[in-house]
Amino acid sequence: MKEFELIEHLIPLLPGNKETVVGPGDDCSVLDVGMPGKLLLFKTDAVVEGVHFTKDDGWVRIGRKAISRALSDMAAMAGEPLSALVTLGLPSDFDFEKVREIYQGIRERAALFNVSVSGGETVRSTQGIFLSISMVGWVPQGRLLLRKNMRPADALFVTGELGGSRSGKHLDFIPRIEHAKWLADRFEIHALMDVSDGLAGDLQRLIEASGLGVELLSEAIPVSKEAKQAARQSGTSALSRALSDGEDFELLFTVPASVAVKLLDAWKERFPGLRLSCIGKVVPEKKIRILSRSGRLTNLDCHGYDHFQ
Ligand SMILES: [Mg+2]
């Protein structure tokens, strides 16, 4: 069973209540707990030794990655993160120095965004180390930038560069919290998410949520130099690496096409060090198609990262 199939089977089993404004299916769940003018964001995420990291990655970086993934999902809602709980699974012969380093990584990133770690849990693990991070944050009431909100003829944007994350970015990335808030404060963002499982896979989620499709311009997709390098080494194409490597932790969003140029100009001024690319548009037909340099339009058949493959 693939990950998305498992999730599809699980969703009908999950209870809801009237306080749950957005349940499963977006980057965070959204709860109305009666805070005036605010909605609560709620998220959990886990990293597992041998799947998301190896012991050679360095424990500070592993801690950093674990909390940054949850922060990236807060960014994907243009949210303000508040506090985290950390569950740490350790083999019985654990070395305290490693644990101290993991928490050092967590502290560094938490401090960057004024997030507290307000508790947690340690458990014994029979195989390797794992870290699970739950996080709460908030968004202003009425500002829900959900995946399902994209609209036909929207322009589709992505921040940064894609692919090749395994050469280091997947451990060291800085979640796009500030960028997302800036965007949401100034522009009419329709849909927003973070690119965690590869652009192709995450676009699939966007079209599933909205019932619409996207048309990409192959030349506009920002391919990282690490993706180009990985492509040379593995004999694959750099574009396919950018589409499917995963763990980019960039922002993917749509805006009305009429504001695209203004947005690009304002972005360049505010964030000169981070690329922003308009990579295509939203179309009514529920498909992902890609327009090649030669003008040929083909269905995108390469998939993002699946955790169960
Ligand atoms: Mg996400």
Side-chain angles (χ1 to χ4, degrees), residues 26-28 43 45 69-70 72-74 76-77 147 192-197 202 205 249-250:
D26 221 293
D27 294 282
C28 296
K43 178 69 202 178
D45 191 273
R69 287 168 58 99
S72 184
D73 278 315
M74 290 283 154
M77 307 294 283
R147 298 173 182 183
L192 173 64
M193 69 184 294
D194 66 329
V195 187
S196 52
D197 294 343
D202 287 325
R205 294 183 179 162
F249 300 106
E250 295 294 347

Side-chain angles (χ1 to χ4, degrees), residues 9-32:
H9 281 87
L10 285 177
I11 286 176
L13 306 177
L14 307 179
N17 58 21
K18 68 176 174 28
E19 285 80 13
T20 304
V21 180
V22 178
D26 221 293
D27 294 282
C28 296
S29 63
V30 183
L31 308 174
D32 187 347

Side-chain angles (χ1 to χ4, degrees), residues 5 48 80 277:
E5 289 170 326
V48 176
E80 187 82 58
S277 308

Side-chain angles (χ1 to χ4, degrees), residues 2-309:
K2 288 187 173 174
E3 188 185 15
F4 78 91
E5 289 170 326
L6 172 68
I7 293 170
E8 239 167 56
H9 281 87
L10 285 177
I11 286 176
L13 306 177
L14 307 179
N17 58 21
K18 68 176 174 28
E19 285 80 13
T20 304
V21 180
V22 178
D26 221 293
D27 294 282
C28 296
S29 63
V30 183
L31 308 174
D32 187 347
V33 294
M35 295 186 293
K38 292 179 181 176
L39 293 171
L40 193 75
L41 300 175
F42 196 20
K43 178 69 202 178
T44 189
D45 191 273
V47 291
V48 176
E49 184 176 343
V51 180
H52 302 91
F53 64 86
T54 70
K55 28 178 169 297
D56 302 328
D57 288 333
W59 298 102
V60 176
R61 293 172 97 195
I62 291 161
R64 202 184 279 158
K65 171 173 182 166
I67 191 163
S68 294
R69 287 168 58 99
L71 286 164
S72 184
D73 278 315
M74 290 283 154
M77 307 294 283
E80 187 82 58
L82 281 178
S83 190
L85 299 173
V86 179
T87 297
L88 182 58
L90 294 168
S92 48
D93 61 343
F94 77 93
D95 165 5
F96 179 71
E97 189 50 32
K98 282 182 197 167
V99 176
R100 206 189 54 74
E101 287 180 21
I102 289 172
Y103 274 84
Q104 186 188 327
I106 292 173
R107 281 177 66 104
E108 271 175 26
R109 274 294 183 274
L112 204 55
F113 298 104
N114 195 27
V115 167
S116 69
V117 174
S118 49
E121 153 89 331
T122 50
V123 292
R124 193 164 69 88
S125 161
T126 52
Q127 272 180 6
I129 290 183
F130 70 84
L131 270 142
S132 169
I133 308 245
S134 301
M135 192 176 281
V136 290
W138 62 274
V139 281
Q141 193 120 32
R143 195 174 86 186
L144 287 179
L145 309 178
L146 305 179
R147 298 173 182 183
K148 67 173 186 196
N149 292 351
M150 79 173 184
R151 296 184 203 166
D154 274 359
L156 179 69
F157 282 87
V158 72
T159 62
E161 294 177 341
L162 306 176
S165 171
R166 277 278 145 183
S167 70
K169 185 184 176 187
H170 76 109
L171 296 163
D172 301 321
F173 69 97
I174 297 185
R176 305 296 187 201
I177 297 275
E178 291 310 316
H179 306 82
K181 281 190 293 181
W182 180 88
L183 283 166
D185 284 346
R186 282 159 189 83
F187 291 92
E188 187 194 341
I189 309 296
H190 286 163
L192 173 64
M193 69 184 294
D194 66 329
V195 187
S196 52
D197 294 343
L199 183 65
D202 287 325
L203 281 173
Q204 191 63 42
R205 294 183 179 162
L206 205 52
I207 74 170
E208 289 301 334
S210 64
L212 299 170
V214 294
E215 215 172 276
L216 302 172
L217 288 165
S218 68
E219 277 176 275
I221 293 167
V223 180
S224 71
K225 66 174 193 303
E226 291 79 11
K228 290 175 190 161
Q229 205 168 13
R232 271 196 301 276
Q233 281 161 4
S234 62
T236 49
S237 89
L239 181 63
S240 76
R241 300 221 67 126
L243 288 168
S244 58
D245 274 357
E247 299 208 295
D248 300 297
F249 300 106
E250 295 294 347
L251 298 173
L252 178 67
F253 61 95
T254 78
V255 293
S258 58
V259 306
V261 174
K262 202 174 134 201
L263 167 60
L264 280 166
D265 284 346
W267 179 277
K268 233 182 276 171
E269 200 151 298
R270 176 65 184 83
F271 302 111
L274 184 67
R275 199 160 153 188
L276 177 67
S277 308
C278 180
I279 58 170
K281 64 179 179 186
V282 180
V283 295
E285 200 186 348
K286 196 179 153 192
K287 275 184 176 169
I288 307 172
R289 286 188 294 189
I290 185 159
L291 189 67
S292 72
R293 188 192 294 250
S294 61
R296 216 158 51 92
L297 197 59
T298 47
N299 287 328
L300 191 68
D301 57 1
C302 84
H303 296 289
Y305 183 75
D306 187 306
H307 300 270
F308 294 147
Q309 292 220 307

